[in-house]
Amino acid sequence: MMRHRSLLVPASLILLGVAGACDRTPDYVLKKKQMVDLLTDIHKAEGVVDLNRTRYGSDSMRKVMKQSVLLRHGVTQEQFDTSMVWYGHNIERYIEVYDDVIARLESEVAEVDADQGGARVDMAVVGDSADAWPESRMHRYFYGQPDAMVRFNLRRDENWETGDIYTWRFYKSNMQSPLYYAIAAQYTDGTSDYMTGTTTGQGWSEIVMQIDTARTAQNVYGFATVSPAPGEVAYIDSIALVRTRFSPDHYDRASVRTYTPGRE
């Protein structure tokens, strides 16, 4: 008579096997947790750069900061670039990663608030250098979308100064169609400054708007829109609108045009 043995498999091994079967990420691509950890630290490093532009103003210093993060995680630039391309073509997985990144950053901010006894400084409006972005940091564009536009409108408060610089940054993913943008400042004398343009392809875009030092701005507003082709689903994420103070060494209004009512 044959005896049947029952094979007892530890639950941890079963869960590991299930997780492995569900993970469809290729071997040459950073796994989800690796990407979340890495992107979280990259965004924190970029925050340091944005808040210390005098120290990290050059492109070389910004690259050194990013490379230091990659080195700390044991990731090469090639691995990171390859992984970003793969996630950009697997957008559902990319969204999962960025949802976790945003949750991680928000959790860390909440912990800092708790350590400070709830006395939080609102970086959206206060400080010599601050992220003033008021809306969601991710937006999706798809064919036939009723409102394929990201927009913002900041109104003057007691923290505004003449000559403020607004740097609008975002990361484009899976985008084949050109993105059209406009950013403008309206002044109390009725005039307006504005910048328009297009950006194409994948990766980071940065738009810098220098407010006039001789006029008082009452609001800054802008939008970014795409007309996707049939079947195209594109994303912009990590949206930020960083305000920095006027510096004579970095005063540049070459791309700014002025509109005066009553004049052609």
Side-chain angles (χ1 to χ4, degrees):
M1 183 178 67
M2 296 181 61
R3 294 185 178 179
H4 298 279
R5 293 183 179 179
S6 60
L7 183 61
L8 299 179
V9 181
S12 58
L13 292 180
I14 295 175
L15 291 175
L16 182 61
V18 171
C22 294
D23 189 350
R24 302 182 302 278
T25 309
D27 292 339
Y28 60 85
V29 172
L30 297 175
K31 305 302 181 184
K32 178 182 176 181
K33 185 180 184 305
Q34 291 176 291
M35 284 296 287
V36 171
D37 293 343
L38 179 58
L39 288 172
T40 298
D41 282 351
I42 286 177
H43 283 299
K44 289 159 65 176
E46 289 172 347
V48 172
V49 170
D50 287 333
L51 294 174
N52 297 273
R53 284 185 174 270
T54 301
R55 182 178 179 184
Y56 301 107
S58 67
D59 288 340
S60 60
M61 288 301 297
R62 297 172 73 93
K63 289 178 181 178
V64 168
M65 173 69 82
K66 182 179 178 182
Q67 287 299 322
S68 68
V69 175
L70 293 176
L71 182 63
R72 188 164 68 249
H73 285 264
V75 175
T76 66
Q77 183 68 54
E78 182 181 5
Q79 286 177 301
F80 177 68
D81 292 341
T82 300
S83 297
M84 287 297 290
V85 169
W86 186 87
Y87 279 99
H89 285 89
N90 294 269
I91 205 67
E92 294 83 3
R93 305 293 298 279
Y94 188 67
I95 293 173
E96 291 175 5
V97 167
Y98 255 100
D99 282 346
D100 286 357
V101 171
I102 293 171
R104 180 87 62 82
L105 291 172
E106 290 178 345
S107 175
E108 292 186 8
V109 170
E111 290 178 6
V112 172
D113 292 345
D115 292 340
Q116 294 177 346
R120 180 178 180 182
V121 177
D122 189 354
M123 290 302 292
V125 295
V126 178
D128 287 346
S129 185
D131 185 357
W133 183 251
E135 308 295 340
S136 170
R137 299 197 182 266
M138 175 182 283
H139 188 80
R140 180 177 67 165
Y141 298 98
F142 57 90
Y143 180 71
Q145 186 176 6
D147 184 12
M149 183 179 295
V150 172
R151 57 171 65 87
F152 68 91
N153 187 6
L154 304 180
R155 299 188 182 279
R156 182 179 182 82
D157 61 36
E158 66 275 10
N159 298 288
W160 284 32
E161 295 183 5
T162 57
D164 280 346
I165 303 168
Y166 287 88
T167 304
W168 193 10
R169 302 178 69 244
F170 46 82
Y171 189 88
K172 307 186 300 295
S173 303
N174 202 44
M175 188 172 291
Q176 287 84 48
S177 301
L179 180 144
Y180 176 81
Y181 65 83
I183 183 170
Q186 187 172 10
Y187 298 95
T188 54
D189 63 1
T191 61
S192 298
D193 283 343
Y194 65 97
M195 294 173 55
T196 60
T198 58
T199 176
T200 58
Q202 316 296 315
W204 288 102
S205 289
E206 183 171 284
I207 304 149
V208 180
M209 176 75 171
Q210 170 80 63
I211 305 302
D212 195 352
T213 58
R215 291 175 288 168
T216 301
Q218 61 184 16
N219 65 310
V220 174
Y221 58 95
F223 68 86
T225 186
V226 177
S227 297
E232 180 182 357
V233 180
Y235 293 81
I236 61 173
D237 60 55
S238 307
I239 308 172
L241 184 65
V242 177
R243 183 194 67 202
T244 51
R245 298 306 192 193
F246 166 72
S247 170
D249 297 332
H250 298 92
Y251 188 69
D252 182 10
R253 284 173 49 82
S255 302
V256 178
R257 289 172 285 178
T258 301
Y259 169 74
T260 303
R263 295 183 183 178
E264 295 297 331

